[in-house]
Amino acid sequence: MLADALPESADPDALFTAFAERAAENGLELYPAQEEALIEIVSGANVILSTPTGSGKSLVAAGAHFTALAHGMRSYYTAPIKALVSEKFFALIDEFGADRVGMLTGDSSVNPDAPIICCTAEILANIALRHGAAAEVGQVVMDEFHFYAEPDRGWAWQVPLLELPNTQFVLMSATLGDMSFFEKDLTARTGRATAVVTSAQRPVPLTYRYALTPLHETIEELLGARQEPVYVVHFAQAAAVERAQALMSINVCTRAEKAAIAELIGDFRFAAGFGKALSRMVRHGIGVHHAGMLPKYRRLVEQLAQAGLLKIICGTDTLGVGINVPIRTVVFTGLTKYDGTRVRHVRAREFHQVAGRAGRAGFDTDGYVVVQAPDHVIENAKALAKAGDDPKKKRKIVRKKAPEGFVNWTESTFERLIGAEPEPLTSSFTVSNAMLLNVIARPGNAFTAMRRLLEENHEPRDRQRKHILRAIAMYRALRAAGVVEQLPEPDPDGRIIRLTVDLQFDFALNQPLAPFALAAIELLDTAEPNYPLDVVSIVESVVENPRQILAAQQDKARGEAIAAMKAEGMDYEERMTLIEDVTYPKPLDELLDAAYETYRQGHPWVSDYQPAPKSVVRDMYERAMNFVEFVGYYGVARSEGLVLRYLADVYDTLRHTVPVDAKTTELQDLIEWLGELVRQVDSSLLDEWEALRHPGEAQPSTRPVERGPEPVTRNERAFRVLVRNELFRRVELAARRNYTVLGELSGGWTSADWESAIEPYFDLHDEIGTGPDARGPALLMIDKDEQVWRVRQIFADPQGDHDWGISAEVDLPASDEAGEAVLRITDVGELRSF
């Protein structure tokens, strides 16, 4: 363990020698840039480290924490995303021990008093705003510092530089560009020398090539030259999946390699839909990796790649942010991307972030970067090559043109990107109510502190003036609402204004509208049948919008609305006018809007955020769908990881935000169901939470391939809801007389069987109820046995006779194997003895 090598003296020479010797014992020889950076760190200087990917910045970060420990300082490591924070947390535990490392992300707080803290940039910015120069932050290691220029989040990378003058900073990235401004600014603010350590020399040199061959041929050439693993970069998730499926025609692995893949996969559980497709691809030696996948699938691909078993991985450019996949060759399928507004050329920073992943230090002697020419250029080059030197044949060639609206790139574009320095980092400072409240909460004169923050940030003067005016308007609103008050004289801590409310530590970080949700829940009546689902709707309104799911729900709603309009005979123009008002479901929209307007009168800082009514968890529950059915119904298989992350966020917020006295039995059942649903789809998310609470135990980053979650029947309360939903799914379909889909469900009954059983019911009754009472526990009968549950879901008929229903047997062992309730329909009809 690295901590064991700490010398008795914190002398710079002793520190450097101790660290270098321990690195050598582990077989690591310091590169010149690493050596230079570490010498500056142990000497007390700020360091800006700009070296290529794979040049050992993590080792420098470890040396920084090592130095801080020796001096008795608290050090912070920050990263842009929670996954990287979590990964670094476990890595630092291995190096320094669980008692010396803590983590803060807004979602989790683990060992928060430890001398080494891993956190998101926003957490550190919050600490800096709340405590200013008095913050107990001796050293900060900021990884991926190029996020300083991100429009929405860059403020969090800037604020610590402005507010922590007594701190030693280590700023790191592979793509920083000209850092002369930061060198001067850091030195002036901290009084420390600032060393800029750069190196263009990579431990593994890169070879660049512009390919005029079709991608299949390019890949075959790379495999033939033993230049795998190959990462094929796309700028859309759908394109990455489609490419992987197309490459299945190439035989990339030997029989022995395929056997090794199958052995490592073992009994890993692949779900229907994308999971089955991925199973076929990875067994062929081809992986897929993008942010929309389930975490367990991404981890599986990473583990197979680390074992050297995947020859090709198709993914998106997100691999530029710390992805843990070994790569020898990076293939760009294009040099343009859609940035949410327009299609543009890839920037130099984006190109180098991704290209820099090629070549593995300690494994490869060379790395390769290939850019595919546009398809029409490749076809033209192929036609010219076929014509040879014959002038007549060349004149007859009809050259392919670029598609309309196509943003072209050429070999010159490629060459320019290779030689281009990353674009200069530009300030993205912003002012918010949360920032103002945090500064007011600190001891001292808040006016002075806020003026310094507004006038000494990195913004040009014209933007500073706008920030000042915005801050003044925010302060006046806080005064008017009575949230802050001016004191007649300074208090013992030097405050001349103070807050009249208490702020939690992670204020404005994890579900900033959670306090509003609590207030809104108090408006509900626990006796109402819809109470549990209304609580879910309130919670859903304060978690982040899953854009892809909402877009799919809106598309589905508009498709159904257009079909209905056509059936009514509406003309095209009228349909197109009315369809604009059709959107995704927004339960409690009016109630939440009115509650928010009232709430923000007394809490004006919530104006930074808006509740966003939506129905994902509620929609899934009301439709009685499982995860696979929901993903298939809305056609979001390529974003199923986003769906699961959203479900997990709602589950975690329900557990930790809703007060105990507001959790009725029915609501607790729903929460248990949601947790079990998440766990059965991909237990790694909940496993990670548990690992964070118990960091000394197994760690998700180092586990073998997942073998599946706990048996689904283990949590009987949640399993009962799963059974109820499976039965009620069939009730809803029967209510709509949708015998086709009923026949497609498992259970052993065909469409004809269902039709012949259900139609006699409609000879007696007009409808089958599907409201809250219809799905309530009173209409579900369960007879439990050790291996089988015999169940009966009673129909809610208009007369209230309750004499019809669906009978089934639930196979418990089969349910555990499948991770969901496995039913066999035994009877549908009038109630018989049960």
Side-chain angles (χ1 to χ4, degrees), residues 77-92 103-108 118-122 143-144 153 289-291 293 295 298-299 302 318 321-324 645 684-685 688-689 692 700-702:
Y77 168 90
T78 74
I81 59 176
K82 293 174 185 177
L84 289 181
V85 172
S86 175
E87 185 178 298
K88 193 67 176 181
F89 168 70
F90 289 117
L92 288 173
M103 185 178 75
L104 302 169
T105 65
D107 292 333
S108 305
C118 299
C119 63
T120 55
E122 284 82 357
D143 207 354
E144 308 290 352
R153 302 182 60 203
H289 198 289
H290 61 71
M293 294 168 59
R298 290 202 306 271
R299 188 168 294 128
E302 290 165 10
T318 52
V321 188
I323 188 174
N324 187 23
R645 173 62 71 179
S684 61
L685 282 174
E688 185 173 321
W689 294 345
L692 294 177
S701 57
T702 58

Side-chain angles (χ1 to χ4, degrees), residues 310-333:
L310 296 183
K311 302 295 180 69
I312 303 170
I313 305 167
C314 297
T316 58
D317 60 335
T318 52
L319 86 156
V321 188
I323 188 174
N324 187 23
V325 173
I327 301 160
R328 190 173 189 194
T329 301
V330 169
V331 176
F332 285 86
T333 57

Side-chain angles (χ1 to χ4, degrees), residues 249-272:
S249 61
I250 301 175
N251 190 20
V252 301
C253 287
T254 65
R255 184 174 297 177
E257 288 169 333
K258 290 179 180 179
I261 291 171
E263 183 179 356
L264 182 57
I265 290 174
D267 57 357
F268 182 92
R269 183 190 292 170
F270 292 94

Side-chain angles (χ1 to χ4, degrees), residues 59 77 176 185 207 346 373 427 448 461 486 509 588 751:
L59 187 64
Y77 168 90
L176 288 178
D185 187 73
T207 300
V346 173
S427 172
T448 302
R461 186 58 186 163
Q486 192 156 350
L509 285 171
L588 306 187
S751 300

Side-chain angles (χ1 to χ4, degrees), residues 66-219:
F66 182 82
T67 302
L69 273 179
H71 284 283
M73 298 188 303
R74 171 172 281 188
S75 60
Y76 283 74
Y77 168 90
T78 74
I81 59 176
K82 293 174 185 177
L84 289 181
V85 172
S86 175
E87 185 178 298
K88 193 67 176 181
F89 168 70
F90 289 117
L92 288 173
I93 283 176
D94 289 340
E95 293 174 338
F96 295 101
D99 58 324
R100 293 188 180 93
V101 184
M103 185 178 75
L104 302 169
T105 65
D107 292 333
S108 305
S109 175
V110 182
N111 198 14
D113 297 322
I116 300 173
I117 297 292
C118 299
C119 63
T120 55
E122 284 82 357
I123 285 285
L124 180 63
N126 209 38
I127 292 170
L129 290 168
R130 188 77 63 94
H131 301 285
E136 189 186 347
V137 183
Q139 180 194 82
V140 169
V141 178
M142 281 189 172
D143 207 354
E144 308 290 352
F145 184 70
H146 57 274
F147 271 77
Y148 168 95
E150 285 289 305
D152 296 329
R153 302 182 60 203
W155 68 272
W157 275 258
Q158 184 173 162
V159 162
L161 307 183
L162 306 176
E163 291 292 301
L164 301 176
N166 303 320
T167 298
Q168 179 187 33
F169 287 93
V170 180
L171 313 180
M172 307 191 306
S173 174
T175 55
L176 288 178
D178 180 13
M179 296 297 287
S180 55
F181 166 80
F182 294 94
E183 179 183 7
K184 295 173 184 174
D185 187 73
L186 268 179
T187 298
R189 291 179 188 276
T190 65
R192 299 172 183 263
T194 301
V196 179
V197 180
T198 62
S199 173
Q201 183 178 359
R202 290 175 47 91
V204 179
L206 294 181
T207 300
Y208 297 92
R209 176 160 72 92
Y210 192 69
L212 288 165
T213 51
L215 183 60
H216 271 64
E217 294 180 20
T218 303
I219 296 294

